[in-house]
Amino acid sequence: MPTYCLWPEPDTTPIDWAATCALLSQRDAALGAIIARVGGVGFLSQHPRSTFESLARSIVYQQLSGKAAETIYRRFRALYPEDAPLEPDQVIATRHQRLRKAGLSEAKARSIKDLAAHASRGEIPPIETIRQMDPEAVVERLTVVRGIGRWTVEMLLMFRVGHPDVLPVHDLGIRKGFARITRRRELPDPQTVMRRGERWRPFRSVASWYLWRATELPRGRSPARSR
């Protein structure tokens, strides 16, 4: 069986974005209205970091603006050779105070150390292995790491792994986009988004991308509510 991906990657079959959008529009008219307005060709793959480095970057970026997070991550990354992948044993060997001086908070420094310890023990699967795993199994496997929650793993699955069927129902942007397409005044609870998302399988990542885009559209004629 082929492994489908949001973009071309070795040993994967990229999804047909146009066909996927047509299928989603057929199943959900309200989402289809947003797809028609936004258009586009979908996700761009992220820098080919390892699972370990991708998660370390995610920890640094948590609860920070993009510019501030980028500055701190550059300082953190500058502690190690820039022309080679970040290695867990390098981080384990780094004194805690050096991580703090790079700009990491106490909690984030401890989280990155814990992540490195898990990775050093072989408990953090490589990207190629994650592509073969069920998303829920990946969430369960990685959220044992201090500072790694469901949302962080979902972002890894979507933007680094390229998994086509992830729906981050707790994400604020997803809930805002859902409210927009269904013309709700209040944000939906995650269970409501999850139930509607059953229509979008096995391409819930694509639907999520359009829910995020829905929040960026100028206010105007709202899409018709789908029943």
Side-chain angles (χ1 to χ4, degrees), residues 106-122:
E106 178 70 19
K108 290 182 180 182
R110 291 183 180 276
S111 293
I112 285 181
K113 283 277 193 175
D114 189 51
L115 171 65
H118 280 273
S120 182
R121 295 193 296 266

Side-chain angles (χ1 to χ4, degrees), residues 142-160:
L142 297 182
T143 52
V144 299
V145 177
R146 178 179 183 142
I148 299 293
R150 168 176 283 274
W151 183 87
T152 298
V153 180
E154 289 170 337
M155 295 304 104
L156 174 82
L157 285 165
M158 294 175 76
F159 293 103
R160 176 63 187 92

Side-chain angles (χ1 to χ4, degrees), residues 181-199:
I181 73 168
T182 56
R183 295 190 295 182
R184 295 169 181 258
R185 292 186 176 181
E186 297 182 355
L187 292 179
D189 58 70
Q191 291 75 23
T192 299
V193 181
M194 183 67 75
R195 285 194 297 270
R196 181 66 163 254
E198 290 301 312
R199 305 183 187 188

Side-chain angles (χ1 to χ4, degrees), residues 15-142:
I15 69 167
D16 184 325
W17 190 266
T20 298
C21 288
L23 177 65
L24 291 172
S25 298
Q26 182 182 31
R27 292 180 178 177
D28 192 324
L31 180 64
I34 293 296
I35 291 173
R37 288 181 65 185
V38 172
V41 294
F43 288 75
L44 296 176
S45 60
Q46 287 189 345
H47 185 279
R49 302 178 182 91
S50 65
T51 308
F52 169 64
E53 187 163 357
S54 295
L55 291 173
R57 184 177 184 274
S58 294
I59 289 172
V60 173
Y61 271 68
Q62 287 170 359
Q63 300 177 325
L64 291 175
S65 68
K67 186 175 181 180
E70 182 181 2
T71 298
I72 294 173
Y73 184 74
R74 284 180 177 175
R75 291 174 182 167
F76 164 71
R77 194 60 180 85
L79 298 175
Y80 312 102
E82 63 179 350
D83 56 349
L86 182 66
E87 297 293 342
D89 290 343
Q90 293 175 323
V91 176
I92 291 173
T94 304
R95 287 183 291 109
H96 183 79
Q97 195 57 32
R98 288 197 72 195
L99 297 177
R100 297 284 282 116
K101 285 184 177 180
L104 296 179
S105 67
E106 178 70 19
K108 290 182 180 182
R110 291 183 180 276
S111 293
I112 285 181
K113 283 277 193 175
D114 189 51
L115 171 65
H118 280 273
S120 182
R121 295 193 296 266
E123 297 169 359
I124 305 297
I127 296 298
E128 294 74 17
T129 299
I130 290 177
R131 285 204 176 98
Q132 308 300 322
M133 298 173 64
D134 179 82
E136 284 302 314
V138 179
V139 170
E140 183 177 353
R141 181 85 166 266
L142 297 182

